[in-house]
Amino acid sequence: MPDVPAPPRQPAAVSVELRVSKRILWIGAAVYPLHNIARVYTFVLRPKRREAVLRFLRNTGGMLIVGFLAMLPGLFAGAGGDSSGANGYVAFIWVAAVAAEIYFITELLSVLLASDHHVLAVETSGASTALVTSRTPQYLDQVVGQISYAIDHPDTEFKVTVESLHFSPKNYYFGDNVNMYGGNGNVGISG
């Protein structure tokens, strides 16, 4: 059998066409009227590594507490003389705990090994936001300038190729954080 090469660590980037034509911004098949664009900017999308570690510790601690509490009836039943059913119950709890811990470790490693992405974000006056990326941040800055110019000059048309970005929003920092006095955990977008 021939050797099969290992898959790449990160999936290959998918190219997408970004173009402005007739006062409309096209990003792949998505359409954004230029007059609805509120902000175009670049930033570095960073994984929430600290939160992932804290989530892992919280999940592992919770799983240990629940596992030990769930094992108590099996341990007391085993002390009463019928140890075969109790041993099976305790073994089931351990197998479930090991499976849960493998899931938690996989989830943790997916965030810890995730890379930072230079992205271009297009926010509209509504709730939608588009993100695209490129391997060179200077290229994204040029595209921001082209889109900004097209917003002010209706006859402008251009076409560039960027890369699409697929990520889990719970694993990355996105947008601006605004501290509000008188509330807890409020996160919003500043202007």
Side-chain angles (χ1 to χ4, degrees), residues 116-137:
D116 296 350
H117 298 280
H118 293 277
V119 297
L120 178 145
V122 177
E123 294 179 3
T124 65
S125 55
S128 62
T129 301
L131 293 179
V132 294
T133 188
S134 174
R135 298 190 194 283
T136 56

Side-chain angles (χ1 to χ4, degrees), residues 36-74:
N36 281 347
I37 294 177
R39 181 164 80 154
V40 180
Y41 60 102
T42 60
F43 68 98
V44 178
L45 189 64
R46 299 187 194 299
K48 295 180 179 178
R49 291 183 177 97
R50 179 175 174 265
E51 285 83 352
V53 170
L54 293 175
R55 184 173 51 237
F56 170 77
L57 294 174
R58 186 177 57 245
N59 289 342
T60 298
M63 185 261 318
L64 287 173
I65 291 170
V66 169
F68 284 126
L69 290 176
M71 279 191 334
L72 286 178

Side-chain angles (χ1 to χ4, degrees), residues 25-191:
L25 171 65
W26 293 78
I27 301 177
V31 178
Y32 302 91
L34 287 178
H35 65 274
N36 281 347
I37 294 177
R39 181 164 80 154
V40 180
Y41 60 102
T42 60
F43 68 98
V44 178
L45 189 64
R46 299 187 194 299
K48 295 180 179 178
R49 291 183 177 97
R50 179 175 174 265
E51 285 83 352
V53 170
L54 293 175
R55 184 173 51 237
F56 170 77
L57 294 174
R58 186 177 57 245
N59 289 342
T60 298
M63 185 261 318
L64 287 173
I65 291 170
V66 169
F68 284 126
L69 290 176
M71 279 191 334
L72 286 178
L75 294 175
F76 290 132
D82 181 27
S83 64
S84 64
N87 288 342
Y89 177 75
V90 170
F92 171 75
I93 297 298
W94 275 107
V95 168
V98 167
E101 192 63 21
I102 289 171
Y103 174 78
F104 297 150
I105 289 171
T106 304
E107 190 177 54
L108 172 68
L109 289 177
S110 71
V111 176
L112 291 180
L113 298 176
S115 60
D116 296 350
H117 298 280
H118 293 277
V119 297
L120 178 145
V122 177
E123 294 179 3
T124 65
S125 55
S128 62
T129 301
L131 293 179
V132 294
T133 188
S134 174
R135 298 190 194 283
T136 56
Q138 296 81 10
Y139 181 67
L140 293 176
D141 291 335
Q142 290 173 354
V143 175
V144 167
Q146 290 176 308
I147 293 172
S148 300
Y149 184 82
I151 290 172
D152 286 337
H153 299 85
D155 57 338
T156 302
E157 295 190 6
F158 68 91
K159 182 187 336 181
V160 295
T161 302
V162 290
E163 298 168 6
S164 64
L165 184 65
H166 300 286
F167 67 97
S168 174
K170 78 173 193 169
N171 294 336
Y172 282 90
Y173 294 107
F174 176 70
D176 300 327
N177 290 333
V178 178
N179 294 326
M180 295 177 61
Y181 295 104
N184 284 334
N186 297 315
V187 177
I189 297 176
S190 68

